[in-house]
Amino acid sequence: MASDKVSIHGAWASRWVFILAATGSAVGLGNIWKFPYMTGVYGGGAFVVMYLFCIALVGVPIMLAETMIGRRGRQSPVNAMKSLAVDAGASKHWSLAALMGMVAALLILSFYSVVAGWSLDYILSMGRGDFTGISADGAGAAFGGLTSDPWRLTLWHSLFMLITAFVIAKGVVAGLERSLRIMMPLLFVLLLVLLGYSFTTGHFREGFDFLFHFDPSKVQDGILAAMGHAFFTLSVGVGSIMVYGAYMPKKASIGATVLTVGLLDTLVALTAGMALFPIVFAAGLEPGGGPGLMFVTLPIAFGNIAFGQVMGLIFFVLVAVAAWSSSISMLEPAVAFFIEKTGRSRAKVTAVLALLCWLVGMGTVLSFNLWAEAKFFVFAEDGFHLLQWGAEGGKTFFDSIDYLTSRILLPLGGLAFAMFAGWVLSREAVREELAIRSPLLFNLSLWLIRVVAPIGVLIVFIAELSK
């Protein structure tokens, strides 16, 4: 039976290692800044309720689908979907969805490595005390100085890609599992240290109110934002969860495990908000929007509060660890696939793919400086231009890759995975993998995977394209 297969790449020691791995994949830069900010902007507690609702209806069902396909196939996402499709009497071309997800993951890693590299630079700056007493203009200039220097960005991009490749090259047990057993507890400890410090600022209540005040008038505005973030935050749609599912123990409950990951992901995001916003308010600042301002607003805050240098150092180590745990999940699906396809060693395959991601990432590095005026996909009065220098409108190389992955490839991947698990896999196969005894609960789960989640993804897809 398909469910009796064993992955050639190895296996997690327990379901808790899968939980650590999947949570590490899901927790990234967006959890530490974007989600708390969105919570404050879109009605506080109202947004949290909407977000949890969307997680249950969209995020968790697709994560269930990916995990189920991965464990059933016990191969890389591409080969798992191909073999399971053939077993079900369906077209082997379903594997193209996994191939698309694999390419999307590599493209995301190419620019994620650059942005994550900023946190490494800020660890050094915080450790030196560069932000002590810094003004808003000074913090902006420091960030501008970083992004305008292609050599500096290349250094950190290269280092981050190297540490990502190092973990992957060591293998599932010696690399992924061993590193995640260290990284994820470290992430939780650092987050709790920051939370404990926020209690001492005298502004914890202000930060708490910003996050959790219940404003029903903003519910309508926040529905699409909650649905979109619920989909993207769990790292679904690219095959990362699927390949982690391939290493999952057979006896582990997929439903309980995935629900735990969803709750932990949300808990990390909320805790980050409760830890950071009191610090921002203590420095007399207004919280800004987007993960980019993590490198401007927070350095000002840390530079102007007691023990800010130490807390700032802890924060950027936290950011780097979160980014690292996410980045390894983006590389693993492609590494697993090419090991299966070529028979080459994990170290060689990892080196080639990491180099490829590094080269594509150089386009992102240059997008912030030397190529800042190079615009792609420009619609002008004289027609469409694929590349135009100094044009009004259009997107930089970085913006183009971000748009292609987050607004097109990820939603399409999530849609395909849900449809495959819900309609291509047999009802018996789904029942066996989910191991849900209650007929009512099983039918509800299958309905969410087959109908509700795909509709939710389509709504996200259309909304993202219209932006």
Side-chain angles (χ1 to χ4, degrees):
M1 295 176 63
S3 59
D4 292 327
K5 293 178 180 177
V6 177
S7 172
I8 65 170
H9 307 289
W12 306 125
S14 68
R15 82 180 189 96
W16 277 103
V17 179
F18 173 83
I19 290 172
L20 289 178
T23 304
S25 177
V27 172
L29 301 178
N31 292 74
I32 296 174
W33 185 263
K34 188 177 181 180
F35 175 77
Y37 171 76
M38 291 172 70
T39 301
V41 168
Y42 290 112
F47 179 82
V48 172
V49 171
M50 286 187 294
Y51 172 78
L52 290 174
F53 189 66
C54 293
I55 280 279
L57 295 183
V58 180
V60 166
I62 297 177
M63 184 175 272
L64 279 173
E66 281 204 44
T67 307
M68 187 165 50
I69 296 168
R71 192 169 73 172
R72 192 81 179 171
R74 295 295 189 190
Q75 300 175 80
S76 66
V78 174
N79 288 329
M81 290 190 71
K82 181 184 292 185
S83 64
L84 290 176
V86 171
D87 289 345
S91 171
K92 65 180 181 180
H93 295 305
W94 273 100
S95 63
L96 292 176
L99 184 64
M100 178 181 67
M102 184 181 78
V103 171
L106 293 176
L107 289 174
I108 293 170
L109 177 58
S110 74
F111 68 75
Y112 197 84
S113 174
V114 177
V115 176
W118 299 348
S119 65
L120 301 180
D121 186 274
Y122 271 59
I123 289 172
L124 189 62
S125 297
M126 276 290 175
R128 289 195 306 246
D130 292 352
F131 295 108
T132 302
I134 199 167
S135 65
D137 290 340
F143 182 62
L146 169 62
T147 56
S148 64
D149 187 342
W151 294 107
R152 197 166 149 199
L153 289 184
T154 299
L155 169 65
W156 297 119
H157 168 47
S158 303
L159 180 58
F160 192 85
M161 191 63 72
L162 277 173
I163 63 176
T164 298
F166 175 77
V167 172
I168 295 292
K170 297 285 284 184
V172 173
V173 176
L176 287 166
E177 181 170 323
R178 188 171 296 172
S179 63
L180 288 164
R181 284 180 181 272
I182 298 171
M183 277 193 284
M184 296 313 295
L186 176 61
L187 185 149
F188 295 134
V189 168
L190 292 173
L191 195 55
L192 289 175
V193 170
L194 282 172
L195 179 64
Y197 176 76
S198 72
F199 277 103
T200 70
T201 62
H203 293 265
F204 186 82
R205 179 62 183 270
E206 191 176 356
F208 186 89
D209 288 344
F210 179 80
L211 272 177
F212 295 112
H213 70 284
F214 199 96
D215 188 350
S217 67
K218 295 183 179 180
V219 168
Q220 187 173 352
D221 295 335
I223 289 177
L224 279 178
M227 187 177 294
H229 197 67
F231 173 73
F232 293 116
T233 189
L234 289 180
S235 194
V236 293
V238 297
S240 297
I241 299 300
M242 195 183 298
V243 77
Y244 281 179
Y247 312 146
M248 187 178 181
K250 181 183 176 182
K251 294 182 179 180
S253 167
I254 290 179
T257 303
V258 167
L259 284 173
T260 302
V261 173
L263 290 173
L264 281 176
D265 179 69
T266 305
L267 181 63
V268 168
L270 290 173
T271 305
M274 289 188 289
L276 296 179
F277 287 127
I279 295 173
V280 172
F281 288 124
L285 302 172
E286 288 296 322
L293 291 184
M294 179 192 305
F295 298 95
V296 178
T297 304
L298 283 173
I300 302 171
F302 287 123
N304 291 277
I305 58 175
F307 305 106
Q309 182 178 345
V310 175
M311 291 300 113
L313 180 63
I314 290 173
F315 170 73
F316 282 107
V317 170
L318 166 68
V319 171
V321 171
W324 192 8
S325 66
S326 294
S327 67
I328 60 178
S329 73
M330 298 176 202
L331 190 55
E332 178 63 18
V335 168
F337 171 70
F338 282 104
I339 289 174
E340 294 165 4
K341 186 175 180 63
T342 67
R344 301 284 185 179
S345 70
R346 174 172 278 267
K348 289 181 180 178
V349 170
T350 301
V352 171
L353 289 172
L355 178 60
L356 178 63
C357 284
W358 181 87
L359 287 171
V360 177
M362 287 305 299
T364 293
V365 166
L366 298 175
S367 293
F368 292 99
N369 36 76
L370 300 181
W371 289 2
E373 296 299 316
K375 300 299 175 65
F376 294 78
F377 310 111
V378 179
F379 293 91
E381 293 182 359
D382 59 342
F384 170 76
H385 301 275
L386 180 62
L387 172 62
Q388 193 171 39
W389 205 268
E392 291 292 330
K395 299 179 183 297
T396 64
F397 182 88
F398 165 64
D399 293 333
S400 300
I401 298 295
D402 182 32
Y403 186 92
L404 173 65
T405 53
S406 65
R407 300 193 182 184
I408 299 176
L409 298 184
L410 261 69
L412 289 179
L415 177 64
F417 297 156
M419 296 296 290
F420 183 86
W423 297 100
V424 176
L425 290 184
S426 68
R427 190 181 181 92
E428 291 71 26
V430 174
R431 188 188 302 277
E432 182 181 331
E433 290 301 325
L434 292 183
I436 298 175
R437 295 181 179 180
S438 166
L440 180 62
L441 189 56
F442 171 77
N443 288 329
L444 174 62
S445 300
L446 190 58
W447 180 66
L448 289 174
I449 294 172
R450 281 181 168 182
V451 180
V452 178
I455 291 174
V457 174
L458 283 174
I459 293 172
V460 170
F461 182 56
I462 294 169
E464 289 294 320
L465 284 182
S466 65
K467 288 183 180 178

